[in-house]
Amino acid sequence: MAADPVEHGYTLPYRWYSEAETLRLEQERVFARSWTYGGRAEEVAEPGSYVTTRAGDVPLLVTRARDGELRAFVNVCRHRGAVLTEGNGRRETIQCHYHAWTYGLDGALRAAPRSDREPDFDNTTLGLLPASAETWGPFLFVNPDARAAPLRDTLGELPAILDSALDLSRLRFHSRSDYTLDANWKIAVENFLECYHCSIAHPQFSSVVDVDPDAYVLEPHPTFASAFGRIREQPKALPYDPHGEVARGQFHLLFPNVKLNVMPGRANLSIGPIHPDGPDRTTGYLDYFFGEDVEAAWIDELLAFDDQVGVEDRALVESVHRGMRSGLVDRGRLLLSSEGLIHEFQRYVLARLA
């Protein structure tokens, strides 16, 4: 085997998909330093609003204080480490449910019961730890790193690519779909990054999108990976009508873990993160957005179609995880003409773990 296996088309070692130590390094060197999708910008649009989210295993709190500034904090009380709050809403302060330490939406510690009994207690040093938050159109992004480079550096050309197909300002949130997989998060990402399996495993998807290797276009970028699929010229029985203002499908992964999907047809977009919940478990969700004038019946058909693809993908990634955990096969060999985006993702991971 080549001295540098990944650079020569081999996969990451299979043990990296089940080792706790590998995930510990990923949390520290990948997720704690990366921008990820944190929810909808409208949830923190008004002064006095807040929303909780996460980046890897870091719980985060995003607020819009009365001064109008968008802020993010690690959602952990500075007293004994409890997660401060969950959900979203509007309020003037955030109070820990454990001992009632209370923080303003600017992150400052406002009250700590019985702290007046401590002669050296300095509440000015015990504010919430800062993180980073920015918005892109209707989307909220977060980064645990308070000194993170601007979101635009990670987005790169992605906004321009999406703008060529959709007017993000005219999209409206419809619903969120949560999922859990008994598989490592990298397997879920890699499954998303190739359509080599689509003609076999996704008959409905392949009846809409031309997945032939000369038609399904893979496009690597420094901070994200893209695939583009046109409608089949002679489609079979269709699960939904793919004809409309969106002429071709777009499928993007913003490194390391944010999926964006645009299916051909009416104005639509789904976006969401893939989170590790241990080496053997992955959770995630997709937020669905549609154009203002898209009919409810069309939306229902697309959601049912997407659910079916998700069921099929679940079986695939969980099977891969079981195989990788067997311990008898060291690594696999990619077909770079069809799985080149997996190669780019694995190089991204490897560079950060090295």
Side-chain angles (χ1 to χ4, degrees):
M1 186 178 294
D4 189 348
V6 170
E7 286 302 322
H8 289 79
Y10 288 88
T11 69
L12 297 172
Y14 283 171
R15 68 180 185 278
W16 286 20
Y17 294 79
S18 58
E19 288 180 342
E21 176 60 14
T22 298
L23 178 58
R24 185 190 70 79
L25 291 174
E26 290 168 346
Q27 296 284 15
E28 174 187 312
R29 302 180 184 180
V30 179
F31 290 98
R33 304 176 184 179
S34 300
W35 287 100
T36 192
Y37 179 72
R40 309 191 312 279
E42 65 183 2
E43 294 180 283
V44 283
E46 298 298 324
S49 58
Y50 75 94
V51 64
T52 59
T53 184
R54 61 184 286 204
D57 63 357
V58 180
L60 296 172
L61 169 67
V62 182
T63 69
R64 180 84 67 175
R66 288 296 170 188
D67 61 7
E69 185 174 343
L70 185 69
R71 295 180 174 90
F73 306 98
V74 178
N75 186 19
V76 173
C77 184
R78 295 296 305 279
H79 174 216
R80 294 267 295 282
V83 173
L84 274 173
T85 189
E86 297 181 354
N88 58 33
R90 299 188 66 178
R91 56 188 306 170
E92 296 297 325
T93 59
I94 301 292
Q95 186 175 86
C96 182
H97 59 95
Y98 198 0
H99 298 93
W101 282 35
T102 303
Y103 303 84
L105 296 186
D106 60 358
L109 178 62
R110 300 289 178 83
R114 305 186 190 180
S115 61
D116 57 338
R117 294 170 174 258
E118 305 296 320
D120 59 349
F121 189 88
D122 183 1
N123 65 341
T124 65
T125 66
L126 292 169
L128 298 178
L129 295 183
S132 298
E134 292 191 35
T135 60
W136 164 35
F139 314 131
L140 173 67
F141 276 76
V142 293
N143 190 323
D145 185 355
R147 298 178 297 277
L151 175 61
R152 63 175 179 272
D153 293 357
T154 294
L155 295 178
E157 299 175 81
L158 183 55
I161 293 171
L162 282 174
D163 286 347
S164 68
L166 288 169
D167 181 352
L168 295 185
S169 69
R170 296 180 64 84
L171 294 179
R172 298 293 178 264
F173 174 71
H174 179 272
S175 57
R176 173 173 291 185
S177 176
D178 298 279
Y179 60 87
T180 302
L181 305 169
D182 292 327
N184 185 266
W185 75 278
K186 295 186 295 298
I187 299 173
V189 168
E190 292 165 7
N191 178 76
F192 177 74
L193 287 174
E194 54 93 357
C195 216
Y196 183 26
H197 70 280
C198 290
S199 60
I200 301 168
H202 299 313
Q204 287 194 343
F205 182 90
S206 302
S207 71
V208 175
V209 176
D210 191 340
V211 299
D212 296 341
D214 294 327
Y216 196 81
V217 179
L218 307 180
E219 193 174 277
H221 295 265
T223 57
F224 64 97
S226 302
F228 302 90
R230 66 193 184 203
I231 302 172
R232 283 199 178 275
E233 293 183 3
Q234 294 182 325
K236 304 170 185 177
L238 293 174
Y240 81 98
D241 183 2
H243 301 95
E245 55 267 41
V246 180
R248 66 172 181 167
Q250 298 187 22
F251 313 99
H252 308 281
L253 181 85
L254 188 67
F255 294 150
N257 70 325
V258 179
K259 299 193 298 184
L260 296 98
N261 306 282
V262 179
M263 288 298 296
R266 305 302 309 280
N268 73 95
L269 181 146
S270 61
I271 180 172
I274 298 171
H275 289 301
D277 266 3
D280 303 325
R281 189 171 185 265
T282 296
T283 60
Y285 62 84
L286 285 172
D287 280 349
Y288 287 87
F289 295 80
F290 296 94
E292 298 168 305
D293 59 347
V294 178
E295 299 83 358
W298 191 91
I299 293 174
D300 290 344
E301 289 181 353
L302 182 69
L303 293 177
F305 160 83
D306 219 29
D307 284 346
Q308 179 59 39
V309 173
V311 168
E312 294 158 357
D313 275 331
R314 178 190 304 278
L316 297 174
V317 301
E318 292 182 350
S319 170
V320 170
H321 188 81
R322 292 194 302 272
M324 286 184 171
R325 286 200 62 179
S326 67
L328 299 180
V329 181
D330 178 51
R331 62 174 86 216
R333 175 65 162 87
L334 298 173
L335 301 186
L336 295 184
S337 61
S338 296
E339 298 170 307
L341 299 185
I342 295 179
H343 180 65
E344 294 297 321
F345 168 71
Q346 294 195 351
R347 291 177 70 235
Y348 171 93
V349 172
L350 184 62
R352 280 149 184 80
L353 299 189

